[in-house]
Amino acid sequence: LGLTTTLTLVVFYLAKINLFSSIVGLAAFLAQLISVIMGVRHFRDRCQNGLISYGSAFGTSMLISVFGGFIVGVAYYLLFFWVDRQLIENSLDSIYQQLSQSGLKEETIEKMMGVQKMTFEYPGLFFFSRFFEVVTEVFFIALFSSVFLRTKANPFNNNIG
């Protein structure tokens, strides 16, 4: 999860596409969806003999999200604070333009921009916001994907002595 999302981030960065655009968000979401499904299927088929409950599938998804969120948080931190600090200004400009086009009052936009600037001023807060974003997105992915990934034992297929 962390590596696929980070790879998506790097590809869009190299392509000079705004990292807060909806296309990047959609691509990252699809990378997370595919990673979670593949991770839970691998765990179910290789470690659980093909059987997994809804709770175990959900828990495995959330465990994947914690490790993946950490990797994504570190990748965003490195990219924004070490590789290209100009991304911060570009991102703030892009966010301001999107808010301006949404029809919000200028006072509301200024308050929202204050929160955004604060996020970029504190690297730890920026890391945590990216981490929390990944965990939250995977939470909703896990709620639905676990329904389809769970498997139950067949009671008619007992191998009794």
Side-chain angles (χ1 to χ4, degrees), residues 6-158:
T6 300
L7 182 62
T8 303
L9 171 72
V10 169
V11 166
F12 282 107
Y13 170 73
L14 293 174
K16 305 275 189 231
I17 296 175
N18 178 12
L19 297 179
F20 290 99
S21 69
S22 58
I23 188 73
V24 175
L26 179 62
F29 183 79
L30 288 175
Q32 292 168 359
L33 176 69
I34 291 168
S35 298
V36 167
I37 289 172
M38 290 177 62
V40 173
R41 284 184 64 200
H42 182 277
F43 178 71
R44 178 192 70 192
D45 296 341
R46 302 284 169 107
C47 302
Q48 300 285 63
N49 296 324
L51 302 173
I52 193 166
S53 67
Y54 176 85
S56 292
F58 182 80
T60 303
S61 298
M62 294 311 297
L63 190 61
I64 292 169
S65 78
V66 169
F67 289 109
F70 181 81
I71 293 169
V72 170
V74 168
Y76 266 93
Y77 169 78
L78 291 174
L79 184 61
F80 277 75
F81 292 96
W82 287 88
V83 175
D84 189 357
R85 291 200 50 94
Q86 186 61 36
L87 278 174
I88 295 171
E89 289 302 319
N90 294 346
S91 297
L92 287 172
D93 290 342
S94 174
I95 292 168
Y96 183 79
Q97 288 174 358
Q98 289 175 359
L99 291 174
S100 296
Q101 293 172 352
S102 69
L104 294 172
K105 294 179 183 177
E106 190 64 33
E107 179 182 311
T108 305
I109 292 173
E110 290 303 320
K111 286 180 183 178
M112 293 175 83
M113 288 305 296
V115 172
Q116 291 297 325
K117 288 177 184 174
M118 183 177 66
T119 302
F120 285 111
E121 287 175 5
Y122 300 104
L125 183 60
F126 183 73
F127 164 81
F128 181 74
S129 69
R130 300 297 104 194
F131 170 81
F132 185 71
E133 177 185 1
V134 170
V135 172
T136 303
E137 288 172 355
V138 172
F139 174 80
F140 289 107
I141 290 171
L143 282 175
F144 296 105
S145 66
S146 297
V147 170
F148 300 105
L149 292 170
R150 70 181 173 152
T151 54
K152 297 179 183 177
N154 186 349
F156 300 108
N157 194 14
N158 284 342

